[in-house]
Amino acid sequence: MRSSKASPWVIGTAVLVAALLAASWFLLVSPAFAQAAETNTTAEQVEADNALREQRISILAEQFANIETYRSELATLRASVPTDDDLAAYLRELTAAAEAHAVTLLSVTPSTPAAFVVAAPEPAATPAADGAASAAADDAATTQAAAPTTSAIADGTVSIPLTLSVVGTFDNVRAFLATLQTGTQRLLVVESVTGTSQPDAVAGGGRPATTLGDLEIMVSGALFVLPDDATTPPAPTEETPQAPLPAAPEGKNPLVPLG
């Protein structure tokens, strides 16, 4: 009789213990496991971030070890694109180059400086469609036409248009033109070159004596100025390489008539 009377209490106690265990699991143990898992995930992420930062610090340390090299390269670039126009110094460079190649510098004419911009690439043409598609294409074309066609390379960058002319022998003028583009500190972007063959003529009017086959060229280009307070330009985009122009025959002056 006692055993049968105690059974409900035993069963009730077991049920109560099971309920307490379940409640402990859902209210205490399971949240603790979830918190521990979240903490482990956070710790792993922090470790990964720290490893990445250590790698970056290592790269910066290697770069800092070459800081003097970078400063020297920057100084060279600054000589190519200075912080002010300094046209007097560039004129001295041109005069020295002309003397070195035995050509006569006839004129150097800078124009009004202007903010330097580059033409934005034009969108590729698409074939016309019928109906609504055609109207959508027209709308897109109108929107593209309304968009600005130029974009600044760097805020504060200034270009100075420049034209100059020299006269001399064919080979000497070619050598001077090469020096003009690669042999001076100041960067000059040559945009056009116009050449005129010279006849036999005596000196006069500020021009030297010339013989048949001599060459006079008119060079148009631009110098550049980047003030110290200008913003850093964006990284240049990769350009498609162009095929080199054919080289002129060695030892042949094309300005001398055949025969």
Side-chain angles (χ1 to χ4, degrees):
M1 295 297 292
R2 289 180 180 177
S3 177
S4 62
K5 288 182 179 180
S7 294
W9 290 100
V10 173
I11 295 173
T13 301
V15 171
L16 179 60
V17 170
L20 291 174
L21 290 175
S24 299
W25 172 263
F26 287 109
L27 297 179
L28 299 176
V29 179
S30 180
F33 282 166
Q35 182 65 33
E38 183 178 353
T39 301
N40 289 335
T41 301
T42 302
E44 292 174 357
Q45 182 63 42
V46 170
E47 290 179 356
D49 292 342
N50 289 341
L52 182 60
R53 290 189 178 93
E54 288 177 359
Q55 182 180 5
R56 291 176 177 173
I57 291 173
S58 176
I59 293 174
L60 291 174
E62 293 177 0
Q63 292 176 342
F64 184 76
N66 298 320
I67 188 65
E68 294 303 325
T69 301
Y70 298 144
R71 286 173 177 168
S72 176
E73 293 176 354
L74 178 60
T76 302
L77 293 174
R78 264 308 187 189
S80 299
V81 183
T83 57
D84 53 47
D85 55 20
D86 200 9
L87 294 177
Y90 186 63
L91 181 58
R92 289 193 293 270
E93 280 194 275
L94 293 180
T95 302
E99 292 176 352
H101 295 293
V103 298
T104 301
L105 190 62
L106 298 177
S107 65
V108 179
T109 308
S111 299
T112 304
F116 177 61
V117 293
V118 62
E122 296 183 358
T126 55
D130 296 333
S134 178
D138 292 341
D139 292 341
T142 301
T143 302
Q144 291 172 349
T149 57
T150 59
S151 59
I153 288 293
D155 294 339
T157 305
V158 175
S159 65
I160 305 175
L162 184 78
T163 58
L164 61 91
S165 62
V166 296
V167 64
T169 65
F170 176 75
D171 291 333
N172 288 354
V173 169
R174 285 184 59 193
F176 172 80
L177 183 60
T179 299
L180 193 65
Q181 297 177 89
T182 61
T184 59
Q185 284 190 330
R186 189 73 177 267
L187 173 64
L188 173 69
V189 176
V190 175
E191 299 173 348
S192 67
V193 178
T194 303
T196 305
S197 176
Q198 300 298 297
D200 292 327
V202 297
R207 299 175 62 89
T210 57
T211 59
L212 183 64
D214 284 352
L215 176 64
E216 178 182 348
I217 60 171
M218 177 73 71
V219 179
S220 297
L223 302 171
F224 298 93
V225 175
L226 182 62
D228 283 330
D229 56 354
T231 59
T232 303
T237 57
E238 184 176 356
E239 297 181 356
T240 304
Q242 298 181 353
L245 296 175
E250 291 294 334
K252 173 61 179 174
N253 185 344
L255 303 181
V256 177
L258 295 176

